[in-house]
Amino acid sequence: LHFLRAQLDLFERIVVLDICPELLAVGEINAKKSFTPSQCERISWVCLDINSNNVRALLAPHLRNDLTRGFDTITFSYSLSMIPEWEKALLSARSLMSPEGRLLVSDFDTYSVKGNTFKDWMIRKWYKQDGVRIDAKTREVITEKVF
């Protein structure tokens, strides 16, 4: 959200979804330091798993009970690599998007396209300690199977 400061007024609503209440609290505190009170009123902070069976219904109250249109933009910011059922999360995101919606993913990646170099092995080993999955397959799933 911090990087959206200049464009924040272009969004009618922003829904920040995370499974971790502590991270949501930190985000909300930081938003209040960065944004005006009227901008903060348009941001909803929702503690929820995107893979919940009834995610659409649970998000509806944060969008004036209208999810028929869907979200115009859904982002995964350094989170997809930490979601155990990440492919299901992508499918859930797709189901929540408007017909013109877009997905933005910013996350860890392999050094090479195939992810089979020594550098790739090293980065996977290093980040695995923190529960981060780094796999070249992610790009393929996003671009060819889900979107």
Side-chain angles (χ1 to χ4, degrees):
L1 272 181
H2 216 59
F3 299 107
L4 292 174
R5 187 174 324 144
Q7 293 87 19
L8 192 63
D9 292 328
L10 300 175
F11 295 91
E12 180 183 336
R13 296 285 310 145
I14 294 177
V15 178
V16 179
L17 176 75
D18 201 304
I19 198 167
C20 179
E22 294 83 7
L23 289 178
L24 283 171
V26 170
E28 188 170 6
I29 289 167
N30 289 332
K32 287 179 180 176
K33 292 177 186 176
S34 299
F35 306 133
T36 66
S38 64
Q39 289 173 323
C40 287
E41 287 175 13
R42 293 196 316 262
I43 303 171
S44 297
W45 303 87
V46 183
C47 187
L48 180 65
D49 184 345
I50 194 167
N51 288 332
S52 297
N53 290 332
N54 55 348
V55 67
R56 182 176 287 273
L58 293 169
L59 287 174
H62 301 281
L63 292 172
R64 298 180 185 93
N65 291 315
D66 180 16
L67 262 182
T68 56
R69 180 176 164 274
F71 291 96
D72 294 325
T73 304
I74 295 178
T75 65
F76 286 92
S77 181
Y78 293 93
S79 58
L80 197 59
S81 58
M82 294 178 235
I83 299 173
E85 293 182 284
W86 61 276
E87 291 179 67
K88 183 178 174 184
L90 287 168
L91 292 170
S92 180
R94 185 177 71 185
S95 77
L96 294 169
M97 291 171 62
S98 68
E100 301 82 27
R102 62 184 171 186
L103 174 74
L104 305 175
V105 177
S106 177
D107 216 323
F108 301 102
D109 198 3
T110 56
Y111 283 101
S112 66
V113 173
K114 292 185 179 181
N116 59 358
T117 67
F118 180 70
K119 280 182 166 181
D120 294 318
W121 178 83
M122 291 288 291
I123 196 171
R124 277 193 301 275
K125 282 289 191 193
W126 180 259
Y127 281 104
K128 188 176 182 179
Q129 300 174 81
D130 294 319
V132 177
R133 178 195 46 78
I134 299 176
D135 189 355
K137 176 185 173 187
T138 305
R139 286 186 311 278
E140 176 186 331
V141 170
I142 292 170
T143 58
E144 296 178 21
K145 293 184 180 177
V146 179
F147 291 94

